[in-house]
């Protein structure tokens, strides 16, 4: 099914795979040991970087070829890459893709198809988590499969929307609704796109088909001028990779559960948690920036033009780096981190729960879905429970400062802005690290030990504010009648 040119690349990849065991024996194990990383982690990084030569091949040989050739090349090349990374466990994703295609064809554009997809794909993923779970973070077939699960659920919902009356859909739903009937080749190409199947990002079938048709370019009729933007994201990803590689041997989550950590003063334990909480996210930032560069290079990152004609390459952006590094607010970090996954949850879960009539309930259920999607460990539930609590309290605090004349006046003093920023950032990253502790340590015995060592400071702080702030708001914010009299 692949083109002749693709066959040449296939031979090259086969030769690389033939050399892989030798390379692994000679250097991969030693390199992993010297860096304090696992072989699986290094293999993942190498596989992500392989997306760049594949994207270059696509640009030069398939960008304006027949759609069938372009689509067929994606699963064929991606499957080789996936097999080299995960081995025989590749069959898990293949089974789910084929069954998803059959669900779409046999059940059609129905609620039953959406419900069946949601139940089957999530059940398969959760079963995978259950049977492969350990007490540590392992890179195995469930890692890319969780990305695939969201893709296939989103595909079924978009396909269902394609059969609804256009006037009943929101502008966003109209954008993503699939009007045609995708073939098995198209579903496979969408599922196995080499720039996103390992760690994301999420994108829609409609966006992928625009790439296949050669529409994702800033110069119609020519390859996109995306090399420079792609290299910028790659370079930024390499900076984070170097930083993480240098710091990872010295700042680890394993230290949090040691007696040495427990024996240090309380202030030290909090500061270590703060620094670790910021640093631990760098491994995710690295992967997302590197894969975003692959997507940009292939053209998938094209997102139209600004009003001034500037080209936007952020369709597959999973990180807003500047916002991530500078924001003093939890909501700012949420908005800057894992953007496409958050957008997916907002589009397919949060907004679809509008009928509940409560944003808080919809948000809570959305975070519960995210926790289960990440895995079955109790640490995920605790982490997202903390996120839910922190977001609510932060909103309360923001409203209090905005509505209180005294607090809003204090907050507007220019000379005190650096002090406010420092305090906010300290609180922000201390409790971000507190939340990430449960996320990264997984099991209750580990995260509970760490939380005890810091006296459950995160829960005490935010639960206290949750109940106190409404009374403070009532005391410090004048009633509307009094405000009108003063005016």
């Amino acid at each position: 099914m692949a083109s002749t040119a693709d066959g040449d690349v296939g031979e090259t990849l086969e030769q690389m795979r033939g050399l892989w065991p030798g390379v692994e024996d000679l250097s991969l194990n030693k390199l992993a040991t010297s860096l304090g990383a696992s072989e699986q982690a290094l293999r993942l990084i190498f596989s992500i970087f392989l997306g760049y030569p594949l994207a270059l091949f696509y640009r030069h040989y398939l960008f304006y070829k027949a759609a069938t050739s372009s689509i067929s090349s994606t699963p064929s090349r991606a499957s080789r890459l996936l097999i080299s990374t995960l081995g025989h466990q590749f069959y898990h994703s293949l089974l789910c893709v084929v069954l998803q295609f059959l669900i779409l064809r046999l059940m059609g554009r129905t609620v039953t198809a959406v419900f069946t997809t949601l139940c089957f794909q999530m059940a398969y993923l959760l079963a995978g988590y259950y049977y492969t779970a350990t007490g540590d973070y392992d890179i195995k077939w469930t890692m890319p499969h969780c990305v695939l699960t969201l893709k296939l659920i989103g595909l079924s919902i978009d396909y269902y929307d394609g059969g609804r009356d256009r006037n009943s859909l929101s502008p966003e739903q109209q954008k993503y609704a699939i009007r045609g009937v995708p073939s098995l080749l198209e579903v496979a190409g969408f599922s196995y796109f080499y720039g996103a199947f390992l760690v994301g990002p999420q994108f829609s079938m409609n966006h992928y088909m625009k790439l296949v048709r050669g529409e994702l370019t800033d110069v119609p009729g020519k390859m996109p001028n995306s090399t420079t933007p792609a290299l910028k994201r790659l370079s930024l990803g390499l900076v984070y990779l170097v930083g993480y590689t240098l710091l990872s041997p010295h700042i680890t989550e394993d230290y949090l559960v040691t007696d040495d950590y427990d024996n240090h003063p309380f202030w030290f334990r909090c500061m270590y948690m703060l620094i670790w909480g910021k640093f631990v996210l760098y491994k995710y930032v690295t992967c997302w920036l590197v894969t975003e560069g692959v997507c940009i290079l292939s053209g998938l990152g094209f997102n139209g033009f600004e009003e001034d004609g500037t080209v936007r390459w952020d369709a597959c952006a999973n990180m807003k780096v500047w916002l991530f590094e500078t924001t003093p607010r939890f909501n700012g970090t949420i908005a800057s981190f894992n953007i496409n996954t958050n957008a997916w949850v907002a589009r397919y879960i949060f907004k679809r729960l509008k009928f509940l009539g409560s944003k808080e309930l919809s948000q809570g259920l959305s975070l519960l879905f995210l926790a289960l999607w990440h895995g079955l460990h109790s640490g995920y539930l605790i982490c997202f429970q903390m996120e839910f609590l922190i977001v609510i309290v932060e909103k309360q605090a923001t409203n209090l400062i905005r509505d209180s004349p005294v607090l809003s006046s204090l907050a507007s003093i220019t000379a005190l802005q650096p002090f406010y920023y420092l305090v906010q950032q300290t609180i922000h990253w201390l409790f971000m690290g507190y939340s990430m502790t449960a996320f990264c340590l997984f099991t209750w015995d580990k995260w509970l030990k760490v939380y005890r060592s810091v006296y459950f400071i995160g829960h005490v702080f935010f639960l206290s504010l949750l109940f106190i702030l409404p009374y403070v708001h009532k005391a410090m914010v004048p009633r509307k009648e009094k405000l009108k009299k003063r005016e």
Side-chain angles (χ1 to χ4, degrees):
M1 294 172 65
S3 64
T4 303
D6 188 34
D8 295 336
V9 171
E11 293 177 5
T12 302
L13 287 176
E14 289 296 330
Q15 293 173 1
M16 292 173 63
R17 284 172 55 201
L19 293 173
W20 183 271
V23 173
E24 183 175 349
D25 293 338
L26 291 173
S27 62
L28 191 59
N29 187 35
K30 292 182 180 179
L31 182 59
T33 302
S34 64
L35 295 176
S38 65
E39 291 186 25
Q40 294 93 336
L42 287 182
R43 190 177 290 113
L44 171 65
I45 291 294
F46 292 155
S47 298
I48 290 174
F49 277 99
L50 271 177
Y52 284 88
L54 294 177
L56 286 172
F57 173 84
Y58 178 81
R59 284 170 58 88
H60 291 285
Y61 293 99
L62 294 174
F63 195 82
Y64 279 108
K65 299 294 182 182
T68 301
S69 176
S70 298
I71 296 172
S72 64
S73 69
T74 295
S76 64
R77 285 176 286 157
S79 62
R80 296 168 193 159
L81 190 56
L82 187 56
I83 290 173
S84 70
T85 306
L86 301 175
H88 69 280
Q89 295 176 334
F90 166 69
Y91 75 86
H92 291 289
S93 63
L94 184 61
L95 173 64
C96 287
V97 169
V98 173
L99 287 178
Q100 184 58 49
F101 171 75
L102 293 176
I103 289 173
L104 296 181
R105 283 300 179 90
L106 297 177
M107 296 185 178
R109 304 177 189 272
T110 61
V111 174
T112 303
V114 174
F115 183 74
T116 302
T117 296
L118 180 63
C119 292
F120 170 74
Q121 299 295 353
M122 283 299 294
Y124 198 99
L125 177 64
L126 294 178
Y129 285 145
Y130 178 79
Y131 285 108
T132 63
T134 66
D136 299 308
Y137 184 80
D138 299 316
I139 296 176
K140 44 190 177 290
W141 67 268
T142 52
M143 183 195 65
H145 200 88
C146 71
V147 177
L148 176 66
T149 297
L150 294 192
K151 275 188 177 182
L152 297 179
I153 293 173
L155 172 64
S156 69
I157 296 175
D158 291 338
Y159 187 67
Y160 166 72
D161 285 344
R164 296 169 60 192
D165 181 11
R166 191 175 182 85
N167 294 327
S168 67
L169 302 176
S170 67
E172 182 182 52
Q173 291 170 346
Q174 292 178 20
K175 176 182 177 181
Y176 294 105
I178 300 171
R179 297 296 173 182
V181 181
S183 66
L184 177 59
L185 192 58
E186 290 170 340
V187 173
F190 166 68
S191 301
Y192 288 115
F193 178 72
Y194 51 87
F197 69 83
L198 282 175
V199 294
Q202 293 294 326
F203 53 89
S204 67
M205 169 66 90
N206 283 348
H207 193 69
Y208 171 72
M209 291 308 298
K210 287 180 180 179
L211 175 70
V212 171
R213 293 191 296 267
E215 297 175 7
L216 296 183
T217 176
D218 54 328
V219 185
K222 297 181 180 180
M223 289 187 299
N225 296 314
S226 58
T227 303
T228 299
L231 290 177
K232 287 181 179 179
R233 301 309 274 180
L234 171 61
S235 301
L236 195 55
L238 290 175
V239 171
Y240 276 94
L241 177 60
V242 171
Y244 183 78
T245 302
L246 293 176
L247 292 174
S248 59
H250 309 289
I251 306 175
T252 67
E253 57 263 28
D254 293 334
Y255 182 70
L256 292 168
V257 296
T258 63
D259 292 336
D260 187 51
Y261 174 80
D262 223 2
N263 292 331
H264 275 88
F266 176 72
W267 68 266
F268 176 89
R269 281 173 267 159
C270 290
M271 287 304 299
Y272 185 92
M273 184 177 286
L274 183 153
I275 296 170
W276 169 81
K278 175 77 170 181
F279 157 75
V280 71
L281 297 176
Y282 282 7
K283 58 186 176 183
Y284 304 105
V285 177
T286 296
C287 291
W288 290 332
L289 288 174
V290 173
T291 53
E292 183 188 347
V294 175
C295 293
I296 292 173
L297 189 62
S298 68
L300 192 71
F302 179 71
N303 199 23
F305 300 87
E306 300 282 4
E307 293 182 359
D308 60 359
T310 304
V311 185
R312 296 179 59 189
W313 296 105
D314 58 354
C316 295
N318 242 349
M319 285 297 306
K320 294 180 180 178
V321 176
W322 180 254
L323 179 62
F324 173 77
E325 293 292 353
T326 60
T327 181
R329 301 182 59 182
F330 293 95
N331 270 316
T333 297
I334 294 171
S336 68
F337 190 81
N338 205 2
I339 297 170
N340 277 285
T341 299
N342 291 336
W344 188 99
V345 173
R347 184 162 64 246
Y348 296 112
I349 305 296
F350 178 78
K351 293 179 182 178
R352 303 276 172 165
L353 295 175
K354 185 178 180 180
F355 67 91
L356 296 175
S358 169
K359 286 186 177 181
E360 288 75 19
L361 181 57
S362 297
Q363 186 177 21
L365 291 174
S366 298
L367 290 174
L368 176 61
F369 174 85
L370 265 179
L372 290 174
W373 175 71
H374 276 91
L376 297 174
H377 289 299
S378 60
Y380 295 128
L381 289 172
I382 296 299
C383 176
F384 286 102
Q385 166 264 317
M386 278 301 302
E387 178 182 330
F388 184 54
L389 175 62
I390 289 171
V391 167
I392 291 177
V393 171
E394 187 174 71
K395 183 178 180 181
Q396 287 182 342
T398 301
N399 292 340
L400 174 62
I401 295 172
R402 181 197 62 200
D403 298 339
S404 169
V406 175
L407 293 180
S408 59
S409 298
L410 286 174
S412 62
I413 299 175
T414 305
L416 294 177
Q417 294 302 316
F419 172 74
Y420 294 151
Y421 183 80
L422 180 61
V423 172
Q424 280 185 287
Q425 281 288 25
T426 302
I427 294 173
H428 172 206
W429 283 112
L430 170 60
F431 294 112
M432 187 64 72
Y434 182 87
S435 303
M436 288 300 298
T437 296
F439 186 93
C440 294
L441 293 180
F442 305 123
T443 58
W444 69 270
D445 56 320
K446 291 182 179 179
W447 58 258
L448 188 60
K449 182 180 187 299
V450 180
Y451 281 179
R452 281 175 177 166
S453 71
V454 292
Y455 310 111
F456 291 89
I457 184 174
H459 286 85
V460 171
F461 183 76
F462 283 101
L463 285 174
S464 299
L465 288 178
L466 180 67
F467 292 103
I468 292 173
L469 284 178
Y471 294 101
V472 177
H473 189 279
K474 186 176 181 180
M476 299 193 68
V477 177
R479 294 181 179 180
K480 293 182 179 180
E481 291 81 8
K482 291 182 179 181
L483 285 175
K484 288 180 180 179
K485 290 180 180 179
R486 290 179 181 179
E487 290 176 356

